[in-house]
Amino acid sequence: MEEPLIPVVPMSHTAHIRSHRKPRPRSSSALAMRAGVAGGVLSTLAVAGAAGSANAAEPVTQTIELPTLTADMTAQVAESAEVTQQAAADYQLRAERDAAAAKAAKQAKADLADAKKKAEAKQKAEDARKAAAERATRSSARTTLTSTSADSDVPAPASGSVGTVINFLKAQLGDAYVMGATGPNAWDCSSLVQAAFKQVGVDLPRVSQDQSVAGTPVSLSNIQVGDILYWGGAGSAYHTGVYIGGGQYLDAANPSKGVVIQDLSGYPASGAVRVL
């Protein structure tokens, strides 16, 4: 008689090993505490997530309030702008005036140079014609004066070198005095003397200091028509003129008088030199 078959049920390889851990009893209070803690954590996470979403949707911005301009500040700003504008206008006006003055000075210099060139050309033409004859008669044309009184009236010679000098000087009466000018219608003291003697071929220095030592010194008691008078020291004179006789001299006096005839008694000279 065959024995009945017993079905074999597969088992886990650890099924035969008993656990050594003892099951811990779980009280109802412990279960409640665990549930409470879990609920609190979940609530906190939910609130944090909602706040994070809100913050992500609406970024935080910082608003800085600008200061409000008061009426005083507005007035100060306007006044500062007006002052700046006025300063700029003043600077521009000064620049325009300076430019105009520089232009006028440049033009005046050019005009003076042009007048000088014309006068020199005119003078050279005159010199070429007169020089030979006047040098020949230079010594015979002199008039000796015995008195320097302002009341005496000794006429200048009508011909010869000295006469030519005096006639040229008298032809310039009424011309203007301009410092640095050399004719033909304006002179200073030394340029007039230089031009007069150039008529007879005598080349004098340009300035009064040098003219005062250009010839032979003579005493004022022995001056003759055509002698050069000077004021100041010899070699340092500040003014020159030409004696024309009768106690008088002719000179380019100053800006207010121009070229005039004056009396030695009113303005005595310091010395004299003779070049003819």
Side-chain angles (χ1 to χ4, degrees):
M1 183 178 180
E2 292 182 4
E3 294 182 358
L5 296 176
I6 300 172
V8 178
V9 179
M11 298 179 63
S12 170
H13 67 282
T14 59
H16 67 283
I17 301 175
R18 291 186 177 181
S19 175
H20 294 285
R21 296 177 65 183
K22 295 182 180 181
R24 280 189 266 178
R26 296 184 179 179
S27 63
S28 58
S29 60
L31 294 174
M33 182 178 294
R34 286 175 179 268
V37 170
V41 171
L42 293 175
S43 299
T44 301
L45 292 174
V47 172
S53 299
N55 291 337
E58 298 179 3
V60 177
T61 58
Q62 183 178 4
T63 303
I64 301 176
E65 293 186 2
L66 294 176
T68 302
L69 291 177
T70 63
D72 290 341
M73 292 179 65
T74 302
Q76 291 175 4
V77 170
E79 182 178 356
S80 177
E82 183 179 355
V83 169
T84 301
Q85 184 177 6
Q86 183 61 42
D90 291 344
Y91 177 81
Q92 182 178 1
L93 180 59
R94 286 196 299 270
E96 292 175 354
R97 288 178 177 174
D98 292 344
K103 183 178 180 180
K106 184 177 180 180
Q107 185 61 45
K109 185 176 180 180
D111 292 344
L112 183 60
D114 185 57
K116 183 177 181 180
K117 289 180 180 179
K118 290 180 180 179
E120 289 176 351
K122 179 181 177 181
Q123 196 64 58
K124 287 179 180 179
E126 285 289 316
D127 292 343
R129 183 175 62 85
K130 295 179 178 180
E134 290 171 348
R135 287 173 183 170
T137 59
R138 186 178 301 169
S139 59
S140 61
R142 188 173 303 278
T143 301
T144 303
L145 300 178
T146 58
S147 173
T148 59
S149 170
D151 295 330
S152 63
D153 186 11
V154 179
S159 62
S161 300
V162 175
T164 300
V165 170
I166 301 305
N167 289 337
F168 175 85
L169 290 171
K170 288 184 176 180
Q172 314 312 313
L173 286 172
D175 283 356
Y177 176 99
V178 177
M179 178 64 71
T182 57
N185 299 314
W187 313 85
D188 60 19
C189 65
S190 55
S191 70
L192 179 62
V193 173
Q194 183 187 47
F197 282 90
K198 197 171 184 180
Q199 303 300 310
V200 294
V202 177
D203 292 325
L204 291 177
R206 171 66 180 83
V207 296
S208 57
Q209 293 94 327
D210 296 334
Q211 289 178 2
S212 64
V213 293
T216 302
V218 295
S219 65
L220 293 175
S221 60
N222 293 319
I223 57 174
Q224 298 178 355
V225 175
D227 287 345
I228 298 174
L229 304 176
Y230 64 85
W231 286 258
S236 60
Y238 57 85
H239 187 71
T240 55
V242 178
Y243 185 67
I244 62 173
Q248 295 182 318
Y249 63 95
L250 189 152
D251 68 337
N254 52 51
S256 63
K257 291 183 178 181
V259 178
V260 292
I261 293 175
Q262 304 190 82
D263 290 334
L264 274 172
S265 59
Y267 190 32
S270 303
V273 292
R274 184 170 297 162
V275 295
L276 289 177

